[in-house]
Amino acid sequence: MTELLVLSALGAAAVCTGVLVFVVDSMARATFCLLASFLATGAALLVMDLHYLGLLTILMMTIEMAIMVVFMIMLMMNPAGLMPMTMVHNTKGSAAVGATVFVVLVVGIWTVDWPERTGSPPADPTRQVGEAIMGPQMLLMIVVGVVLLATMVAGITLATHRGRYDRFGPDLDRGRPDDPVRGGLPR
Amino acid sequence: MTRTSGTRAATTGAGMADPTTWTSVWAGLGVVAGALVLGLVLAWFDAVARAGVRVGSRAVLVPAAAAPVREGMRLLLGQRRTTVAPDRLLRTLAVCAVPVLALTSAAVLPLGGHSVVSTSADLVWFNAAEALLWVAVWMLGWAPNAVHSLVGAYRFLAQGLAYELPLMFAIITVGVGAGSLRATDVVAAQAGGAWFVWTMPVALLVFLLGAAAFTFWGPFGAPAARDIAEGVLSELAGLDRLLVELGRAVFLGVASATAAAWFLGAEDGPVLPGAWWYAIKTLAVMAFLVGVGRRLPLVRPERFADIAWMVLLPLTILQTAVVAVLVLGGFYG
């Protein structure tokens, strides 16, 4: 019972901080409200005894939001959090989409014939997750890994305005690359 | 569920009913006190190292050892400072988060086969506590609405991008060697002198390097360097500053004890009682960390990023691969 109460409180916290993202007028606060929402979700997983998945959610989302806040402030024209701006655009359309998705999910949750639990959870769910990923789902993970890497490389290639000709000269014969920031290694 | 929800009604936290979890109500307070002592001892080491390196005289070492306490009292009695139009909420959150995260990381310190929080992913717990510092330190730099502290915050993130992945691989290596992510299992796997440091020296060094980097201490102090008037710390005074400095010292102290547990076998050792060994190893790690760290010059984040990605990351991946092969060969039993 207590577990259920804590879970509900965490769920409510996740939703409320999620809503706050669109209420606050500072990009920094908006980002950290979103992070708070993710942290509540991660804590909910912890309460469900899914330690690894819960902690991983917290870990990854924290780093993600710490990086994202830099871009949010850079791109959303809210210098130093002092210039008020709005996170809400196309309010009617998004409200309609949000309401539809909510109704679909709620109807789905209550009408699906969920299977009854058989057996008991393992002593170490982390090991079970690892074995599932590294066993039957290995091919999927390899494919996803390669796709992610290709996306990252492609994204950086598209985003950077400097190529090897800028670094090593038109004939690629420069001994030391011409970089705006000097690295830490002798090249 | 192996346990009914009724038996767990009093303990809603993660995995509180595990046999490796301390059940005593005093355990939490004990770990908080222990973590504070670790932080204080580290601060002493640091103060002595700085005084010794700078003056090179024994006469200054004794007063230097008292410096952390004296400085703490001064901050406690000092006035807090504020700036024009700060983000008060974020500043309060950040100032409280640093010491709280340090104590959170101490919760998974294994001691005598137990820890306050014992989950099936303790190593990730420590990593998550450390990762949350990214947000805390960035908020610390952002909240005062001042240039120098903001520059420090961005330096911390740049440094974070450099140290985080090698640190993660170092932590993963420990998990691979132990075959478990539970801190008490990691210690148990090193019983009888089979300390992980023998097969994972690179992981230990990278772990300590990461610890120095996430507390922006020593050579990784660029986010709070003098060239930007102490950066993220520049607008902090009084209690605010005390909490942040305390959090940094405790985090580094706890990381030293964690290194002693994960790589040096914690209580494992002959003749002396286990607790003595644990203390000796922790002090040795602290002495090594401070002794080396205070002799190195400040590293610029953009240079460290280059070194971290070109040298440290391949090294740690290689370290993990070597340990993985040893595990497959049955080396760890």
Side-chain angles (χ1 to χ4, degrees):
Chain A
M1 188 60 200
T2 319
E3 212 166 46
L4 204 63
L5 279 177
V6 172
L7 213 53
S8 320
L10 286 170
V15 172
C16 291
T17 45
V19 170
L20 275 179
V21 171
F22 301 96
V23 176
V24 295
D25 64 354
S26 144
M27 285 326 310
R29 285 191 180 192
T31 309
F32 295 131
C33 284
L34 190 55
L35 174 62
S37 183
F38 284 129
L39 292 186
T41 314
L45 286 171
L46 280 178
V47 172
M48 287 187 248
D49 271 355
L50 295 168
H51 307 133
Y52 180 75
L53 294 180
L55 290 168
L56 198 69
T57 306
I58 293 172
L59 174 67
M60 299 315 288
M61 286 307 149
T62 302
I63 293 180
E64 222 167 285
M65 291 302 122
I67 302 298
M68 198 178 84
V69 72
V70 173
F71 288 92
M72 294 278 272
I73 286 161
M74 194 162 65
L75 302 175
M76 300 293 257
M77 292 189 282
N78 179 24
L82 298 174
M83 190 184 289
M85 59 87 59
T86 176
M87 281 284 283
V88 187
H89 310 284
N90 186 18
T91 41
K92 282 177 186 152
S94 50
V97 171
T100 315
V101 171
F102 182 76
V103 168
V104 168
L105 285 177
V106 168
V107 169
I109 288 166
W110 289 104
T111 53
V112 166
D113 187 19
W114 298 105
E116 284 293 314
R117 156 163 275 168
T118 52
S120 56
D124 190 347
T126 305
R127 178 171 285 276
Q128 210 188 28
V129 169
E131 277 167 359
I133 290 174
M134 291 298 153
Q137 308 297 333
M138 190 64 182
L139 182 65
L140 183 70
M141 295 309 288
I142 290 175
V143 172
V144 167
V146 171
V147 168
L148 275 176
L149 184 66
T151 312
M152 280 190 273
V153 172
I156 292 168
T157 313
L158 289 175
T160 184
H161 68 289
R162 285 168 55 81
R164 56 187 163 151
Y165 295 109
D166 300 299
R167 301 186 69 221
F168 293 99
D171 298 319
L172 298 177
D173 54 0
R174 209 174 280 160
R176 181 183 277 263
D178 177 24
D179 289 331
V181 177
R182 224 186 103 196
L185 296 169
R187 300 230 177 94
Chain B
M1 300 292 293
T2 50
R3 309 173 282 267
T4 62
S5 56
T7 58
R8 304 195 65 215
T11 54
T12 50
M16 286 298 176
D18 284 310
T20 45
T21 306
W22 287 111
T23 45
S24 163
V25 285
W26 297 105
L29 286 174
V31 163
V32 169
L36 291 176
V37 169
L38 284 173
L40 192 60
V41 173
L42 187 106
W44 275 334
F45 269 85
D46 196 25
V48 169
R50 271 194 297 184
V53 167
R54 198 165 57 238
V55 186
S57 149
R58 279 174 189 277
V60 298
L61 292 186
V62 177
V69 177
R70 205 173 51 230
E71 179 69 6
M73 294 307 290
R74 193 183 68 78
L75 288 175
L76 191 63
L77 300 172
Q79 221 166 22
R80 298 165 71 194
R81 189 191 303 161
T82 189
T83 47
V84 178
D87 193 329
R88 289 203 172 78
L89 175 68
L90 291 191
R91 186 183 60 189
T92 310
L93 277 175
V95 163
C96 297
V98 176
V100 166
L101 288 174
L103 295 176
T104 309
S105 73
V108 291
L109 261 185
L111 192 69
H114 296 274
S115 54
V116 172
V117 173
S118 186
T119 70
S120 56
D122 289 346
L123 272 58
V124 190
W125 175 289
F126 182 90
N127 205 340
E130 162 269 311
L132 276 162
L133 266 185
W134 284 43
V135 169
V137 174
W138 193 86
M139 288 201 296
L140 208 58
W142 168 267
N145 191 20
V147 173
H148 284 139
S149 65
L150 189 62
V151 173
Y154 278 96
R155 280 190 185 179
F156 185 83
L157 285 192
Q159 201 158 272
L161 289 174
Y163 79 74
E164 189 65 48
L165 275 177
L167 176 64
M168 280 179 175
F169 271 101
I171 294 175
I172 288 167
T173 310
V174 175
V176 170
S180 167
L181 296 176
R182 195 185 289 271
T184 47
D185 288 351
V186 169
V187 172
Q190 302 176 71
W195 302 351
F196 281 166
V197 66
W198 310 135
T199 46
M200 315 175 186
V202 176
L204 172 59
L205 289 179
V206 169
F207 181 82
L208 293 178
L209 183 146
F214 67 64
T215 52
F216 46 104
W217 171 89
F220 301 103
R226 279 187 194 165
D227 62 333
I228 46 170
E230 297 196 301
V232 287
L233 304 173
S234 58
E235 301 298 340
L236 294 173
L239 186 62
D240 295 337
R241 180 146 190 155
L242 176 64
L243 284 173
V244 171
E245 295 284 17
L246 187 77
R248 289 173 68 201
V250 168
F251 225 132
L252 202 52
V254 169
S256 304
T258 306
W262 290 0
F263 295 96
L264 300 172
E267 291 105 338
D268 186 55
V271 188
L272 288 175
W276 282 88
W277 274 110
Y278 204 167
I280 290 169
K281 287 170 189 173
T282 305
L283 291 176
V285 170
M286 282 181 185
F288 175 75
L289 183 70
V290 172
V292 174
R294 280 295 173 202
R295 275 177 177 76
L296 295 174
L298 199 72
V299 187
R300 292 166 64 100
E302 78 268 20
R303 296 202 176 168
F304 178 50
D306 205 23
I307 296 165
W309 281 82
M310 303 295 278
V311 179
L312 291 182
L313 195 55
L315 268 181
T316 44
I317 291 175
L318 196 68
Q319 169 77 86
T320 313
V322 166
V323 169
V325 169
L326 287 175
V327 167
L328 289 179
F331 179 81
Y332 296 103

